[in-house]
Amino acid sequence: MSDTKTLGDELPKEMARVRALLPLYREIGPGGFFALSMMNNDLDRAARAMADGDIVEMIRVYQSLKEYSA
């Protein structure tokens, strides 16, 4: 079995990881609002890119999602 990772496998994992961060940013209160807005926007972009099969946008948003941390 190969350890090859594909964008089609990794993007949904990254989306799930970022979704798990959302409650942490909500707990911050008003200070977390900007980050929450950006995260939700990127999650929407990722879902759209996957639905459209837009590989270039999938790569862009994958890189963006990877930057979020707790």
Side-chain angles (χ1 to χ4, degrees), residues 6-16 19 41-62 65:
T6 68
L7 184 60
D9 294 333
E10 295 301 309
L11 182 55
K13 289 178 188 175
E14 197 60 27
M15 291 169 71
R19 276 192 210 100
N41 182 55
D42 283 344
L43 288 168
D44 290 345
R45 283 178 52 213
R48 252 189 328 274
M50 289 176 63
D52 293 345
D54 186 342
I55 301 298
V56 173
E57 181 65 3
M58 288 170 66
I59 293 168
R60 286 182 186 139
V61 74
Y62 176 72
L65 289 171

Side-chain angles (χ1 to χ4, degrees), residues 12-46:
K13 289 178 188 175
E14 197 60 27
M15 291 169 71
R17 186 189 70 80
V18 171
R19 276 192 210 100
L21 294 175
L22 295 176
L24 300 174
Y25 282 84
R26 278 190 203 103
E27 288 178 13
I28 294 172
F33 177 76
F34 183 71
L36 277 169
S37 295
M38 290 177 50
M39 291 170 152
N40 282 314
N41 182 55
D42 283 344
L43 288 168
D44 290 345
R45 283 178 52 213

